[in-house]
Amino acid sequence: QSALTQPASVSGSPGQSITISCTGTSSDVGGYNFVSWYRQYPGKAPTLMIYDVSNRPSGISNRFSGSKSGNTASLTISGLQAEDEADYYCTSYTSSVPYVFGPGTKVTVL
Amino acid sequence: EVQLLESGGGLVQPGGSLRLSCAASGFSFSTFAMSWVRQAPGKGLEWVSAVSGGGSTTYYADSVKGRFTISRDNSKNTVSLQMDSLRAEDTAVYYCAKKSGSGHYNLDYWGQGALVTVSS
């Protein structure tokens, strides 16, 4: 059950776009279209932002988008806003267990 | 409105046991698989365990396999996590989470979490 890899931190100025990567293997990210992304504010429960690689749940801003190429999935936040400052986690279905999480990426709005 | 409310957290000594419960409402409970996800202080999210809607299929992370047991009572809309042989590294906030519909693998609703502290 190897964890996925994410950059520890990503930053950007208001209005800019940033992209967070999530790298796995052919047994998880690369093998299934079941990558999802969660946002977590300090002290709060996570919120689902993207599911099935590129789908947004109802109520999630279209500034959030997801994609995948090979064993790497990506979350892009466009038009960065102060409220986007949070931790972001990717997760994927795997061949052995339903979920494996990435270590999380801290997004800072400069 | 979907609601998930965890209970049962607290302080326990190493080697001890604790049982977490999650009361669910606002959806057809038996239709959906449920998971527990934990977060150690200052650390990231770690998936712990999952149980199918009917309760017959369970999954565990290697880190808890053989020590934790997940179960559900669909008559009471609750899912539980029995934690035995607890270690200091099990200290974390434990979240109960609902899996979205069939054919998807994501957790669309989360509880607010229950803190488990393993310390002497």
Side-chain angles (χ1 to χ4, degrees):
Chain A
Q1 299 172 3
S2 300
L4 309 177
T5 59
Q6 297 180 234
S9 63
V10 173
S11 62
S13 299
Q16 288 186 330
S17 293
I18 62 169
T19 296
I20 303 168
S21 61
C22 172
T23 301
T25 69
S26 58
S27 295
D28 39 64
V29 174
Y32 309 92
N33 288 323
F34 294 131
V35 175
S36 52
W37 292 88
Y38 302 83
R39 177 183 65 195
Q40 187 182 35
Y41 293 121
K44 300 295 186 182
T47 297
L48 179 65
M49 304 300 288
I50 294 287
Y51 68 95
D52 295 352
V53 176
S54 60
N55 294 290
R56 281 187 310 276
S58 174
I60 299 302
S61 170
N62 59 9
R63 298 187 300 105
F64 293 85
S65 61
S67 63
K68 190 184 83 167
S69 177
N71 295 337
T72 298
S74 299
L75 173 71
T76 297
I77 308 175
S78 58
L80 200 62
Q81 299 178 2
E83 66 198 50
D84 299 329
E85 189 160 292
D87 294 324
Y88 291 82
Y89 295 89
C90 65
T91 185
S92 175
Y93 178 82
T94 87
S95 58
S96 57
V97 293
Y99 307 97
V100 62
F101 277 87
T105 297
K106 182 176 180 60
V107 168
T108 301
V109 181
L110 301 172
Chain B
E1 178 192 7
V2 172
Q3 290 193 331
L4 300 170
L5 184 61
E6 300 94 339
S7 61
L11 174 64
V12 60
Q13 292 188 338
S17 298
L18 204 62
R19 186 178 182 87
L20 299 180
S21 292
C22 172
S25 61
F27 63 102
S28 179
F29 183 69
S30 63
T31 301
F32 297 92
M34 300 293 293
S35 275
W36 289 94
V37 178
R38 69 184 181 183
Q39 187 169 36
K43 303 297 185 182
L45 300 171
E46 178 190 15
W47 172 80
V48 172
S49 183
V51 60
S52 61
S56 61
T57 305
T58 58
Y59 304 89
Y60 298 94
D62 287 345
S63 58
V64 305
K65 196 173 296 182
R67 301 187 299 122
F68 289 11
T69 303
I70 192 171
S71 61
R72 64 191 297 159
D73 184 340
N74 286 344
S75 69
K76 297 181 179 179
N77 286 6
T78 59
V79 58
S80 299
L81 186 68
Q82 176 66 37
M83 303 183 292
D84 299 320
S85 302
L86 283 162
R87 308 166 179 167
E89 54 264 36
D90 295 318
T91 294
V93 173
Y94 284 73
Y95 294 101
C96 166
K98 168 189 168 290
K99 178 183 177 290
S100 65
S102 176
H104 302 283
Y105 287 90
N106 59 80
L107 302 169
D108 56 358
Y109 289 92
W110 298 62
Q112 288 307 300
L115 177 62
V116 172
T117 303
V118 184
S119 174
S120 55

